[in-house]
């Protein structure tokens, strides 16, 4: 049963299996294990980034396509939900689905157009084209203030089932009220789980095997009779659709959409770093990498502040560990992870298994 659920792609080591089980169980029971809004927000962000990074790895790790337009599709999905719910007086599921439907249609059209015109070029040219398109879209979203809210973005209401004041049952469950926020979290969790399982099935299908063949040797794949451009275009479309759905879930969770949150180049940078840390060409690397990155992003600054206080008697160390320097130390951790795990954490585990025979 588990083998079928994971499309026959079971983790290659016991260590990785243990880590993945711990992450999944931690995310599944996060609302009951931790109190407060911050841990729940961190867990929801991890779920969404796992899917977002996995969809990008379908391009980079499995197909060999370097794209900087992934956040554009992520933003389109988020804005679709946001504009759909903000355009009606009473937020309904119909408005949310209508906005999502329009966003997905726009995503498919843009992904097809970009693929048809840009994927025929090689290497850095495609990356530069997608970067220009993504930057143009971010500027457009900022200028269409009547529709998107401009630089300030837009806040919006959600259907009653997801509102904080809604209560699914009177009694608490393990000390936690079953309210709209909890319902929203599990919609995000199970939605991301389904999307991840879809991507896992995709990369282990004949279609995914062809993508890997194109990444390894495109000329040989063409010689075998595969229309590589068609496969690359479809990979681009599928990755874009999953990214748009991840953006929709993020908007539903935040109840807010804005250019910096959804379309900023910082999001693209985070995706690239997570792919490198977790390992390219492995869906499980997205799970491990996203978890490590989001936890560091949310709690490293706090831990550094505590360490700085403990080492207050050592001026040099206390200054080096000042919370304002958390980005510097985060960069150091990334450089060390790249040095010790040159093909990513999960990729390193696979390499060790291969070397042992």
């Amino acid at each position: 049963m588990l083998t079928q659920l994971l499309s026959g792609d079971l983790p290659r080591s016991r260590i990785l299996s243990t880590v993945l089980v711990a992450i999944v169980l931690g995310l599944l029971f996060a609302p009951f294990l931790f109190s407060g809004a911050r841990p729940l927000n961190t867990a929801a962000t991890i779920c969404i980034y796992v899917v977002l990074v996995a969809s990008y790895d379908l391009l980079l790790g499995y197909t060999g396509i370097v794209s900087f337009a992934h956040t554009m599709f992520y933003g389109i999905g988020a804005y679709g939900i946001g504009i759909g719910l903000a355009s009606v007086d009473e937020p309904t599921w119909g408005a949310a689905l209508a906005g999502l439907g329009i966003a997905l249609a726009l995503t498919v059209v843009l992904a097809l157009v970009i693929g048809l015109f840009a994927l025929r070029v090689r290497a850095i040219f495609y990356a530069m084209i997608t970067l220009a398109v993504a930057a143009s879209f971010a500027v457009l979203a900022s200028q269409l203030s009547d529709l998107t809210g401009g630089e300030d973005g837009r806040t919006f209401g959600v259907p009653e089932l997801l509102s904080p004041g809604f209560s699914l049952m009177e009694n608490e469950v393990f000390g936690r009220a079953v309210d709209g926020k909890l319902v929203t979290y599990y919609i995000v969790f199970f939605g991301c789980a389904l999307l991840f399982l879809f991507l896992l099935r995709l990369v282990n299908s004949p279609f995914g095997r062809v993508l890997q063949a194109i990444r390894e040797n495109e000329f040989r794949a063409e010689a075998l009779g595969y229309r590589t451009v068609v496969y690359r275009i479809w990979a681009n479309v599928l990755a874009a659709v999953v990214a748009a759905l991840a953006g929709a879930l993020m908007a539903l969770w935040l109840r807010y959409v804005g250019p910096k949150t959804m379309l900023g180049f910082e999001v693209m940078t985070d995706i690239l770093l997570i792919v490198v840390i977790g390992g390219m060409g492995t869906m499980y690397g997205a799970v491990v990498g996203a978890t490590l990155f989001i936890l560091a992003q949310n709690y490293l600054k706090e831990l550094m502040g505590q360490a700085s206080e403990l080492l207050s008697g050592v001026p040099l160390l206390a200054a080096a560990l000042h919370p304002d320097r958390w980005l510097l130390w985060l960069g150091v951790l990334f450089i060390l992870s790249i040095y010790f795990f040159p093909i990513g954490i999960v990729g390193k585990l696979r390499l060790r298994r291969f070397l042992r025979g």
Side-chain angles (χ1 to χ4, degrees):
M1 181 64 181
L2 181 61
T3 303
Q4 293 178 347
L5 185 64
L6 298 179
S7 304
D9 188 7
L10 296 175
R12 299 299 198 275
S13 72
R14 292 181 180 179
I15 297 175
L16 178 59
S17 300
T18 304
V19 171
L20 290 173
V21 169
I23 291 173
V24 172
L25 291 178
L27 293 175
L28 178 61
F29 296 108
F32 306 103
L33 295 175
F34 309 101
S35 60
R38 186 179 180 186
L40 196 61
N41 183 66
T42 301
T45 305
I46 290 173
C47 293
I48 293 167
Y49 264 73
V50 165
V51 172
L52 183 60
V53 172
S55 64
Y56 186 72
D57 197 36
L58 177 66
L59 291 178
L60 182 61
Y62 284 89
T63 317
I65 299 173
V66 180
S67 172
F68 291 109
H70 212 58
T71 50
M72 178 181 72
F73 300 120
Y74 175 69
I76 289 174
Y79 271 102
I81 286 287
I83 294 173
L85 288 173
S87 60
V88 293
D89 295 331
E90 185 70 23
T92 61
W93 290 107
L97 291 175
L100 180 60
I102 294 172
L104 291 178
L106 179 60
T107 295
V108 171
V109 171
L110 285 176
L112 278 173
V113 170
I114 292 174
L116 288 171
F117 287 98
L119 280 174
R120 297 179 183 275
V121 299
R122 305 288 180 180
I124 193 64
F125 299 104
Y126 178 75
M128 297 307 295
I129 290 171
T130 55
L131 179 61
V133 172
S136 301
F137 193 86
V139 172
L140 183 65
S142 298
Q143 291 181 347
L144 297 176
S145 56
D146 293 338
L147 182 65
T148 64
E151 291 290 342
D152 296 329
R154 298 193 71 163
T155 56
F156 52 89
V158 292
E160 184 181 1
L161 177 64
L162 308 181
S163 61
F166 176 81
S167 181
L168 191 62
M169 57 181 64
E170 296 182 0
N171 298 326
E172 294 184 347
V173 177
F174 298 110
R176 176 87 189 194
V178 185
D179 54 9
K181 197 67 174 178
L182 186 66
V183 174
T184 307
Y185 176 79
Y186 279 109
I187 288 176
V188 169
F189 176 83
F190 287 109
C192 290
L194 289 175
L195 290 173
F196 181 81
L197 291 175
F198 165 74
L199 289 171
L200 197 61
R201 179 71 188 96
L202 186 66
V203 299
N204 288 286
S205 67
F207 177 82
R209 302 301 182 192
V210 176
L211 294 183
Q212 295 175 59
I214 294 171
R215 177 197 64 195
E216 297 299 330
N217 194 321
E218 184 174 352
F219 295 106
R220 183 175 295 177
E222 288 180 350
L224 290 173
Y226 294 108
R227 300 176 64 184
T228 58
V229 173
V230 174
Y231 277 91
R232 285 156 64 91
I233 289 173
W234 276 112
N236 191 51
V237 171
L238 291 170
V241 168
V242 175
L245 291 171
L249 289 173
M250 178 61 87
L252 205 61
W253 174 255
L254 294 178
R255 276 84 160 169
Y256 166 82
V257 289
K260 291 184 178 180
T261 306
M262 306 299 176
L263 297 169
F265 191 72
E266 294 82 1
V267 179
M268 191 70 242
T269 305
D270 293 347
I271 294 171
L272 288 169
L273 287 172
I274 294 171
V275 169
V276 171
I277 293 170
M280 293 186 294
T282 164
M283 289 289 122
Y284 295 124
V287 179
V288 178
T291 302
L292 291 176
F293 181 86
I294 300 300
L295 287 177
Q297 193 178 51
N298 282 273
Y299 294 102
L300 183 59
K301 185 175 181 179
E302 181 180 339
L303 292 174
M304 287 181 61
Q306 296 175 359
S308 181
E309 292 179 1
L310 291 174
L311 297 172
S312 57
V314 187
L316 185 61
L317 283 176
L321 294 174
H322 193 276
D324 291 341
R325 294 180 175 84
W326 73 276
L327 279 175
L328 171 65
W329 287 104
L330 188 60
V332 171
L333 289 176
F334 289 148
I335 293 172
L336 290 175
S337 68
I338 294 171
Y339 178 78
F340 288 107
F341 302 98
I343 56 175
I345 293 174
V346 175
K348 187 71 171 181
L349 292 172
R350 288 187 173 184
L351 179 62
R352 286 176 179 173
R353 183 179 179 86
F354 173 77
L355 292 175
R356 290 173 183 172

